[in-house]
C-alpha cells in the first residue's frame, strides 16, 4: 500500500510512522521547508493528568505507551518519564487535588497527593511556599522542536518514506490523489490530510465548514535553570482548565477564590517543563476570538514569571525567547479529534487542540486501524 500524508506536524508525522511501521510506502508532503506550527510551539508534554475520563483518557494513556516505545527506538525524541507536580497553596486548592486523587481512574493516571516535603523530595527545585502537591506519575515529556526531525530521520532510514517539503497541496484529484502547487500529482491507496490549523483553502473546498476552531497561545523559554527540574509543573489554574478536575471542590474553588485578573483575562494556566539544555518552557494563554492579535502581550509573561518564581523560591533565569502559536481544536472539546472522510480514499484528521502532542500516536493508530492499513 502507498499512503500520501499531507502535513508534517506531529499528527501527520505519526500517521506516516504508523503506515511505515505496517510495511507501507509513504509520501509525506509539507508546505513549509519544515513544520512550523503548533507541533513545535508547545511544551512537549505528554499530558495525561488533566484528560477527561473515558475516551480522552484512554487515548492519552495509549499514546503515552506508544510514545515510550517510540522513544526507546528514537533517542532523538528526548522522551522522559518525568511525571508532573501541581502545587496547591490553600485548602480550596487542596480540596480539588484531593477530589482528583479520589477519582475512580486515579490509579491509571498515577495520581498521588503529596505533602510539601514529599513534593520537594521528588522535585528539589520547588523551594517556594505551598501546602501540598498533586503528583501525576504518567505524565512525560519530549523535545517539541526536534521530535519531528528525529522521527523523520528514522522514517527515512526504512527506505519506504519520501519527504517532499516546500509543496502546498492545492487540490484533491479524483480518488487517492492530490496535486501540489508545482503541478505534480501524487497518487496512492489512501490520502490523509493532517493540516493542523490550516482550515481554509483546500480544507474548506473538500470538507466544507467543519466544527473546528483555531486557538492562539503565548509561551516563553528561559536560559538554563542551573539545576534539574525533575518533573513538569502546573499551577492550580490548570484545575480550572482541564476536565479531569471537575468536581464540587472545583465549584467551591471557582466560587471562593477569584482567579488573578491577568490569568482570567487571558484564560491562563501555568505549565512548565525543562528542556534537555536546562531551559524552561513556560506558558500559556488561550485566545479564541478572531481576528487574533498579531503581537505578544507582556502582562501574561509577567504573571507567569511571578507564579514560577513563587514555586521555585528564586528568580527566573533570563527569558531567551517568546512566541505565539495557533492550533486547531474541535468546537466540541469533548471530542479528541475531527476525523472525516472527504472523498473516497481521502481523510481529514485535525482539531486535537492542546492534546495534539500528547495524543497524536494514538490518534494516528486509530486512523490506521479504521482505514485497514
Amino acid at each position: 500500500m502507498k499512503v500520501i500524508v499531507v502535513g508534517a506536524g506531529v499528527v501527520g508525522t505519526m500517521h506516516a510512522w504508523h503506515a511505515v511501521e505496517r510495511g507501507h510506502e509513504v509520501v509525506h508532503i509539507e508546505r513549509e521547508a519544515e513544520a512550523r506550527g503548533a507541533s513545535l510551539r508547545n511544551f512537549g508534554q505528554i499530558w495525561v493528568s488533566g484528560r477527561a475520563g473515558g475516551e480522552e483518557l484512554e487515548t492519552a494513556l495509549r499514546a503515552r505507551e506508544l510514545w515510550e516505545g517510540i522513544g526507546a527506538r528514537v533517542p532523538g525524541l528526548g522522551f522522559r518519564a518525568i511525571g508532573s507536580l501541581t502545587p496547591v497553596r490553600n485548602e480550596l486548592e487542596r480540596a480539588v487535588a484531593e477530589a482528583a486523587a479520589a477519582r475512580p481512574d486515579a490509579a491509571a493516571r498515577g495520581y498521588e497527593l503529596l505533602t510539601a516535603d514529599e513534593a520537594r523530595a521528588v522535585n528539589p527545585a520547588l523551594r517556594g511556599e505551598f501546602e501540598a502537591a498533586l503528583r501525576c506519575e504518567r505524565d512525560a515529556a519530549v523535545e517539541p522542536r526536534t521530535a519531528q526531525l528525529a522521527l523523520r530521520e528514522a522514517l527515512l532510514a526504512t527506505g519506504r518514506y519520501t519527504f517532499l517539503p516546500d509543496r502546498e497541496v492545492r487540490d484533491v484529484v479524483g480518488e487517492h490523489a492530490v496535486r501540489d502547487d508545482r503541478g505534480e500529482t501524487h497518487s496512492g491507496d489512501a490520502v490523509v490530510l493532517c493540516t493542523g490549523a490550516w482550515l481554509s483553502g483546500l480544507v474548506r473546498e473538500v470538507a466544507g465548514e467543519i466544527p473546528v476552531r483555531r486557538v492562539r497561545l503565548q509561551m516563553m523559554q528561559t536560559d538554563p535553570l542551573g539545576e534539574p527540574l525533575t518533573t513538569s509543573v502546573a499551577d492550580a489554574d490548570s484545575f480550572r482548565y482541564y476536565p479531569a478536575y471537575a468536581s464540587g471542590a472545583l465549584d467551591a474553588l471557582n466560587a471562593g477564590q477569584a482567579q488573578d485578573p491577568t490569568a482570567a483575562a487571558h484564560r491562563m494556566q501555568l505549565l512548565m517543563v525543562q528542556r534537555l539544555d536546562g531551559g524552561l518552557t513556560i506558558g500559556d494563554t488561550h485566545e479564541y476570538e478572531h481576528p487574533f492579535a498579531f503581537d505578544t502581550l507582556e502582562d501574561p509573561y509577567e504573571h507567569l514569571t511571578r507564579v514560577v518564581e513563587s514555586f521555585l523560591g528564586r528568580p527566573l533565569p533570563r527569558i531567551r525567547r517568546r512566541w505565539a502559536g495557533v492550533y486547531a481544536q474541535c468546537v466540541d472539546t469533548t471530542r479528541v479529534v475531527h476525523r472525516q472522510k472527504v472523498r473516497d480514499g481521502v481523510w481529514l484528521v485535525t482539531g486535537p487542540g492542546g492534546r495534539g502532542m500528547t495524543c497524536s500516536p494514538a490518534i494516528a493508530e486509530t486512523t490506521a486501524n479504521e482505514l485497514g492499513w
Side-chain angles (χ1 to χ4, degrees):
M1 177 182 285
K2 183 178 181 181
V3 179
I4 311 298
V5 178
V6 178
V10 70
V11 174
T13 301
M14 283 298 178
H15 278 80
W17 178 272
H18 279 286
V20 169
E21 281 288 282
R22 297 177 186 211
H24 306 310
E25 178 186 352
V26 170
V27 175
H28 199 179
I29 306 171
E30 166 57 39
R31 64 177 178 165
E32 305 269 7
E34 302 283 355
R36 283 288 181 268
S39 297
L40 280 75
R41 306 183 195 194
N42 66 74
F43 298 95
Q45 287 180 310
I46 315 305
W47 192 246
V48 173
S49 50
R51 302 300 168 202
E55 180 189 3
E56 185 176 341
L57 178 60
E58 291 167 6
T59 303
L61 288 170
R62 175 57 179 160
R64 167 65 171 77
E65 180 183 2
L66 290 167
W67 271 118
E68 186 165 13
I70 298 169
R73 295 169 54 189
V74 186
L77 289 179
F79 178 86
R80 288 103 68 200
I82 57 175
S84 71
L85 289 174
T86 303
V88 296
R89 304 180 191 274
N90 55 50
E91 286 305 311
L92 286 173
E93 295 178 359
R94 183 188 182 111
V96 181
E98 289 173 342
R103 288 180 59 104
D105 56 16
R109 301 170 189 268
Y111 276 161
E112 182 183 10
L113 188 61
L114 305 181
T115 67
D117 287 343
E118 289 170 336
R120 293 188 185 99
V122 171
N123 192 338
L126 298 178
R127 300 185 183 90
E129 293 300 318
F130 55 93
E131 290 190 1
L134 180 65
R135 184 182 190 183
C136 180
E137 180 269 337
R138 297 304 293 160
D139 289 336
V142 295
E143 292 300 290
R145 289 175 180 257
T146 58
Q148 275 72 251
L149 300 177
L151 288 168
R152 187 187 312 146
E153 184 178 350
L155 287 166
L156 288 167
T158 68
R160 298 193 303 278
Y161 173 85
T162 301
F163 181 61
L164 299 178
D166 290 318
R167 295 170 184 256
E168 183 172 315
V169 171
R170 293 286 181 84
D171 192 17
V172 174
V173 185
E175 299 178 6
H176 315 290
V178 295
R179 183 182 295 120
D180 66 28
D181 57 0
R182 302 186 186 201
E184 296 185 24
T185 298
H186 308 277
S187 301
D189 300 287
V191 175
V192 185
L193 306 174
C194 301
T195 55
W198 177 37
L199 303 176
S200 59
L202 174 70
V203 173
R204 183 175 293 131
E205 181 179 336
V206 299
E209 296 295 335
I210 60 175
V212 176
R213 63 181 177 179
R214 300 168 79 234
V215 181
R216 183 178 185 266
L217 53 82
Q218 286 185 205
M219 297 174 62
M220 63 182 178
Q221 187 171 333
T222 73
D223 280 344
L225 181 63
E227 62 179 319
L229 186 77
T230 57
T231 70
S232 59
V233 176
D235 74 345
D237 278 341
S238 67
F239 294 157
R240 307 176 195 263
Y241 185 76
Y242 284 106
Y245 304 116
S247 64
L250 179 61
D251 294 340
L253 173 67
N254 287 328
Q257 180 175 306
Q259 192 175 16
D260 177 275
T262 298
H266 297 281
R267 300 174 175 90
M268 296 181 67
Q269 59 179 342
L270 168 70
L271 296 178
M272 175 171 61
V273 62
Q274 189 170 45
R275 303 270 65 91
L276 289 176
D277 70 356
L280 304 176
T281 300
I282 301 170
D284 61 350
T285 64
H286 300 88
E287 184 179 355
Y288 302 101
E289 293 78 22
H290 290 251
F292 293 143
F294 59 83
D295 43 12
T296 57
L297 302 176
E298 280 302 302
D299 286 354
Y301 292 118
E302 292 172 358
H303 168 78
L304 290 169
T305 297
R306 289 193 297 270
V307 175
V308 171
E309 290 181 345
S310 73
F311 286 150
L312 296 179
R314 52 166 284 187
L316 197 62
R318 182 182 72 95
I319 305 302
R320 179 187 298 175
R321 55 174 69 99
R322 307 169 192 264
W323 67 90
V326 177
Y327 61 71
Q329 179 188 60
C330 290
V331 174
D332 177 358
T333 57
T334 64
R335 294 183 61 190
V336 173
V337 73
H338 179 77
R339 187 182 287 105
Q340 178 181 347
K341 182 180 180 181
V342 296
R343 299 275 177 85
D344 285 343
V346 183
W347 290 77
L348 172 67
V349 183
T350 188
R355 54 173 92 86
M357 198 70 176
T358 295
C359 293
S360 55
I363 289 170
E365 181 182 58
T366 299
T367 302
N369 291 341
E370 290 186 357
L371 272 60
W373 293 355

